[in-house]
């Protein structure tokens, strides 16, 4: 007689645990352990891959945090949103012109006393608009909920993004506020965009004739929306920062190359025009000779782009005295003077208050 199968015996045992009919709920990201810190440089603590959201049916979304150490009180925050046409990209990549720099832009900002947060978000191959906006709002909620243990100040947040990430940063800065589990929304004090699309309904007008087809279902914008922009005018308008401006918007800094062949500089013009019409402070910088990703610029010009960005971040975070912020970000007195003169030339309107959004 053959021996009995122990697996069959175990399956028949009345004491064997039964498998749940439904999978367990995902863990609450606000209570998950934070990743162990790395210290890539003196005075810098790096947390890589902290889970901030677990969207239903999707992968967990993670963020990196670059934190000055020790922290001198609750830290202001800049959230960097990566580009990649909403289709690809890495959360810690500010673009090809900065990959070789040591220290990199995130380490330099952290050295100035600002926490830098670099999140994932769902790409267009995973989910369509407004999933990406939902993800960034979830990130802000997570920052609010974990501000105490991370020593962050959720009332001093600046958003910054490049290309598609600039589009998403602007959308998030302009989105209506919501509350998170830990209290009211974070205060977004400013937004920086690099060569960002801002009006998906008018891309064909801004490109040279024949360059962009709004009826093409295969464009990056169509993949984000789930259909060609011309076929879904409502979602295309909803996904256009230039069409979502209100007087409650935070100050903006818009940087865009005059020779951009992928996202025309006129796209930043549209957002700047809408912001000025609403009385929102805006600094608009058209960078002569620059193509997308700052291609075509000399290294010193690329450095000026970063210095202007860092100056805006530290000023609107209100974290450091002007001298220290300028020194840590690498800005010279001459560059700071030129920046102030440029701001006066842009003629920013008076500020109308802070913007509370996300989380």
């Amino acid at each position: 007689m053959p021996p009995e199968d122990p697996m069959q015996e175990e399956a028949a045992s009345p004491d064997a645990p039964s498998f749940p009919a439904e999978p367990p709920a995902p863990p609450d990201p606000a209570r998950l352990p934070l990743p162990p810190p790395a210290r890539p440089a003196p005075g810098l603590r790096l947390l890589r891959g902290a889970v901030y959201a677990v969207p239903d049916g999707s992968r967990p979304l993670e963020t990196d945090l670059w934190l000055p150490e020790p922290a001198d009180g609750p830290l202001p925050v800049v959230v960097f949103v990566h580009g990649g046409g909403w289709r690809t990209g890495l959360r810690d990549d500010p673009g090809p012109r900065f990959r070789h720099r040591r220290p990199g832009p995130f380490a330099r900002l952290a050295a100035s006393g600002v926490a830098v947060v670099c999140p994932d978000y769902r790409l267009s191959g995973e989910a369509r608009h407004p999933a990406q906006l939902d993800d960034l709002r979830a990130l802000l909620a997570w920052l609010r909920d974990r501000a105490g243990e991370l020593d962050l100040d959720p009332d001093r947040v600046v958003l910054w993004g490049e290309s598609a990430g600039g589009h998403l940063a602007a959308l998030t800065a302009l989105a209506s506020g919501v509350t998170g589990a830990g209290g009211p929304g974070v205060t977004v004090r400013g937004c920086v965009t690099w060569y960002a699309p801002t009006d998906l309904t008018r891309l064909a007008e801004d490109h040279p004739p024949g360059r962009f087809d709004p009826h093409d279902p295969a464009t990056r914008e169509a993949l984000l929306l789930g259909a060609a922009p011309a076929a879904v005018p409502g979602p295309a308008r909803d996904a256009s920062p230039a069409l979502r401006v209100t007087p409650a918007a935070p100050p903006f800094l818009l940087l865009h190359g005059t020779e951009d062949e992928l996202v025309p500089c006129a796209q930043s013009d549209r957002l700047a025009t809408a912001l000025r019409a609403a009385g929102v402070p805006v600094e608009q910088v058209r960078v002569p000779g620059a193509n997308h990703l700052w291609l075509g610029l000399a290294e010193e010009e690329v450095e000026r782009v970063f210095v202007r960005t860092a100056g805006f971040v530290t000023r609107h975070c209100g974290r450091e005295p002007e001298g220290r912020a300028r020194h840590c970000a690498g800005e010279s007195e001459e560059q700071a003077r030129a920046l102030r003169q440029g701001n006066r030339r842009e003629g920013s309107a008076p500020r109308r208050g802070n913007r509370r959004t996300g989380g």
Side-chain angles (χ1 to χ4, degrees):
M1 182 175 180
E4 294 183 4
D5 186 344
M7 296 299 291
Q8 288 183 356
E9 182 179 351
E10 182 178 349
S13 170
D15 298 328
S18 60
F19 194 78
E22 296 291 336
D28 180 359
R31 292 176 173 80
L32 285 174
L34 293 170
R39 288 176 171 81
L44 178 62
R45 181 164 58 111
L46 174 58
L47 306 181
R48 283 200 183 275
V51 174
Y52 76 84
V54 187
D56 186 39
S58 179
R59 62 190 167 98
L61 299 175
E62 299 180 344
T63 186
D64 298 340
L65 299 100
W66 299 71
L67 305 169
E69 189 178 51
D72 182 18
L75 297 164
V77 179
V78 59
V79 176
F80 173 79
V81 189
H82 72 81
W86 307 285
R87 190 74 177 173
T88 185
L90 300 172
R91 64 178 181 256
D92 62 351
D93 184 9
R97 300 303 303 273
F98 292 91
R99 290 172 190 158
H100 68 287
R101 296 190 173 220
R102 297 293 181 272
F106 305 145
R108 289 174 66 182
L109 281 166
S112 73
V114 178
V116 183
V117 178
C118 306
D120 288 330
Y121 54 86
R122 281 173 288 177
L123 303 174
S124 61
E126 301 171 290
R128 66 184 62 173
H129 171 80
Q132 297 73 22
L133 173 59
D134 294 340
D135 295 342
L136 294 178
R137 285 159 61 95
L139 171 78
L140 297 181
W142 183 85
L143 291 174
R144 163 65 75 177
D145 292 340
R146 308 204 74 159
E149 64 186 302
L150 290 168
D151 211 5
L152 305 179
D153 186 346
D155 288 326
R156 290 186 291 169
V157 176
V158 171
L159 304 178
W160 164 35
E162 62 105 15
S163 195
H167 162 268
L168 295 175
L171 267 186
T172 306
L174 296 167
S176 339
V178 299
T179 57
V186 305
T187 302
V188 174
R189 293 182 176 267
C191 182
V192 183
T193 68
W194 287 2
Y195 40 82
T198 73
D199 187 344
L200 306 192
T201 71
R202 304 184 74 175
L203 281 165
E205 299 175 42
D206 294 340
H207 276 285
R211 180 72 63 84
F212 181 84
D213 181 0
H215 300 277
D216 184 353
T219 64
R220 289 176 293 273
E221 293 76 12
L223 296 174
L224 173 70
L225 299 173
V232 285
R237 287 192 299 270
D238 186 67
S240 296
L243 305 182
R244 299 187 64 164
V245 172
T246 71
F252 271 73
L253 170 62
L254 314 177
L255 295 111
H256 210 130
T258 60
E259 305 305 313
D260 197 318
E261 299 177 30
L262 191 63
V263 179
C265 192
Q267 284 282 295
S268 282
D269 295 343
R270 295 190 184 281
L271 179 54
T273 297
L275 290 165
R276 292 189 181 110
V280 177
V282 56
E283 304 168 34
Q284 184 185 10
V285 182
R286 298 179 184 88
V287 183
N291 204 332
H292 206 67
L293 304 174
W294 304 129
L295 300 179
L297 280 189
E299 283 293 322
E300 58 269 23
E301 296 298 325
V302 175
E303 174 66 9
R304 288 193 185 99
V305 165
F306 172 72
V307 166
R308 182 136 193 184
T309 299
F312 180 93
V313 168
T314 52
R315 288 198 315 279
H316 288 280
C317 278
R319 173 66 181 109
E320 298 289 354
E322 184 178 356
R324 180 180 172 192
R326 188 166 61 236
H327 172 74
C328 292
E331 182 178 3
S332 69
E333 182 62 45
E334 181 181 352
Q335 288 170 323
R337 190 179 304 111
L339 172 62
R340 291 192 294 270
Q341 291 171 349
N343 290 347
R344 286 195 292 269
R345 284 196 298 271
E346 291 295 338
S348 295
R351 187 172 178 183
R352 295 197 177 187
N354 293 340
R355 174 63 169 176
R356 295 181 85 76
T357 186

